[in-house]
């Protein structure tokens, strides 16, 4: 069984729900307290033992490349002033440990993943949707990689939600379960509540076998006129092992404004250096 060494980050989206904030700044660079969303995703990947980060970008996303590069002027100035440079350590990706490829036009998540096919090669790989902020320890992908070591094949992260919310998400049709691990028998995109096969929703983290690239290559457009990753995964069920890992942690949808604020509050309240002050402010605000 090949290890999971590579991760794909589809970051070409325009972030229109956060305009005008994202007019000049990639939505993935919006901070949750003091780190951008993309940094949290990369940190999660590193914790899981992933070595190479592959960013599928678009026009106007150069700030992501700059973030993971050496900032010579900044570091020189900080050194001369005796400031601690360790705060920048997470932003440093070693030579050859990051790659960037362009998605020239918005044709869906499946198309974005397919754009990374030559860099992924013939290896299983992880996918991170940075908008899906996964908060917990160990991280979501570490939990998935540990499960992958047991069962191999393809895995997706899922979360339990109240049944009345399932029509907003992709939902799995579950088979046999073993603790946090559930066999996936099918995938349904945004089903009516009465027809949902479960209350387990897909939550933005994947481990897929390289065969998905060949499926995507010949796949037509699906919902919204886009090439959908869900359709490609659904066609692989039954041909390869497919499991879901129920994430032991919290998820915040940072593609929505409310979810983004929730993520900031959750992280702030978990930080010893600011939790007391933020909690006191929140209590005072709600009086």
């Amino acid at each position: 069984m090949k290890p999971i060494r590579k991760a794909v980050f589809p970051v070409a989206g325009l972030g229109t729900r956060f305009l005008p904030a994202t007019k000049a700044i990639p939505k993935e660079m919006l901070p949750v307290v003091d780190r951008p969303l993309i940094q949290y995703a990369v940190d999660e990947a590193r914790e899981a033992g992933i070595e190479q980060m592959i960013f599928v970008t678009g026009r106007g996303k150069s700030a992501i490349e700059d973030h993971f590069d050496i900032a010579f002027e900044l570091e020189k100035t900080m050194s001369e002033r005796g400031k601690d440079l360790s705060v920048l350590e997470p932003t440093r990706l070693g030579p050859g440990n990051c790659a960037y490829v362009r998605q020239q036009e918005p044709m869906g998540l499946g198309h974005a993943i397919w754009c990374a096919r030559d860099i992924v090669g013939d290896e299983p790989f992880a996918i991170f949707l940075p908008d899906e902020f996964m908060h917990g320890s160990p991280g979501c992908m570490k939990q998935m990689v540990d499960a992958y070591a047991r069962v191999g094949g393809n895995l997706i992260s899922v979360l339990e939600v109240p049944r009345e919310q399932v029509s907003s998400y992709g939902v799995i049709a579950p088979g046999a379960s073993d603790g946090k691990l559930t066999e996936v028998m099918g995938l349904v995109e945004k089903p009516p509540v009465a027809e949902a096969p479960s209350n387990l929703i897909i939550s933005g983290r994947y481990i897929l076998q390289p065969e998905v690239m060949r499926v995507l290559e010949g796949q037509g457009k699906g919902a919204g006129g886009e090439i959908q990753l869900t359709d490609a995964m659904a066609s692989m069920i039954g041909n390869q092992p497919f499991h879901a890992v129920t994430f032991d942690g919290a998820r915040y949808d940072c593609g929505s404004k409310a979810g983004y604020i929730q993520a900031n509050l959750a992280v702030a309240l978990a930080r010893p250096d600011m939790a007391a002050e933020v909690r006191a402010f929140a209590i005072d605000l709600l009086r």
Side-chain angles (χ1 to χ4, degrees):
M1 185 188 303
K2 292 182 178 180
I4 308 301
R5 299 189 314 110
K6 299 179 180 181
V8 177
F9 301 81
V11 293
L14 297 174
T16 54
R17 285 188 284 179
F18 277 85
L19 286 170
T22 51
K23 180 181 178 182
I25 299 171
K27 62 177 180 176
E28 298 82 11
M29 292 299 296
L30 293 175
V32 174
V33 182
D34 54 6
R35 290 189 180 200
L37 281 167
I38 190 64
Q39 181 69 63
Y40 285 99
V42 167
D43 291 345
E44 184 185 328
R46 284 167 150 172
E47 180 197 19
I50 292 170
E51 301 168 4
Q52 186 174 32
M53 316 299 166
I54 305 165
F55 301 92
V56 182
T57 70
R59 287 179 293 278
K61 298 285 186 166
S62 60
I64 295 175
E65 296 184 38
D66 292 341
H67 178 73
F68 291 109
D69 201 352
I70 294 172
F72 176 77
E73 296 86 352
L74 172 65
E75 296 185 22
K76 182 174 183 293
T77 301
M78 289 179 67
S79 294
E80 289 173 348
R81 295 179 180 178
K83 294 187 178 295
D84 183 10
L85 293 177
S86 64
V87 69
L88 297 175
E89 191 60 36
T91 70
R92 293 174 176 147
L93 295 177
N97 287 346
C98 58
Y100 300 88
V101 60
R102 279 280 183 102
Q103 182 186 24
Q104 284 84 3
E105 53 184 323
M107 292 179 61
L109 177 59
H111 180 261
I113 301 306
W114 181 74
C115 287
R117 64 196 180 279
D118 288 337
I119 306 174
V120 168
D122 191 29
E123 294 186 39
F125 64 102
I127 299 172
F128 290 76
L129 306 188
D131 282 359
E132 300 270 358
F133 184 81
M134 311 298 273
H135 190 46
S137 182
C140 183
M141 186 54 65
K142 179 66 168 69
Q143 295 177 33
M144 293 178 69
V145 167
D146 289 346
Y148 175 80
R150 290 173 52 198
V151 297
N154 303 272
L155 292 98
I156 53 179
S157 169
V158 295
L159 286 168
E160 290 188 58
V161 299
R163 183 164 283 272
E164 60 269 19
Q165 296 180 13
V166 295
S167 58
S168 299
Y169 303 98
V171 179
I172 71 164
S177 62
D178 178 12
K180 297 289 185 180
L181 199 62
T182 304
E183 187 179 6
V184 177
M185 308 304 291
L187 301 169
V188 184
E189 189 66 32
K190 298 182 178 179
V193 172
E195 299 175 17
S198 74
N199 66 334
L200 295 171
I201 65 164
I202 303 171
S203 56
R205 300 290 187 273
Y206 312 77
I207 292 175
L208 298 179
Q209 296 298 313
E211 286 78 11
V212 72
M213 295 299 191
R214 291 188 278 278
V215 175
L216 288 168
E217 187 167 6
Q219 184 173 296
K221 295 179 180 179
E226 297 181 333
I227 297 173
Q228 299 292 346
L229 181 62
T230 301
D231 294 342
M233 293 191 300
S235 71
M236 295 169 67
I237 295 173
N239 299 316
Q240 293 187 349
F242 220 109
H243 292 84
V245 179
T246 302
F247 174 48
D248 185 11
R251 163 195 174 268
Y252 301 96
D253 178 10
C254 287
S256 75
K257 295 170 187 174
Y260 176 68
I261 297 300
Q262 291 166 10
N264 273 275
L265 279 171
V267 171
L269 290 171
R271 289 263 300 255
D273 62 325
M274 60 193 307
E277 185 177 356
V278 172
R279 184 177 291 106
F281 168 75
I283 291 171
D284 185 59
L285 188 67
L286 294 172
R287 282 177 181 166

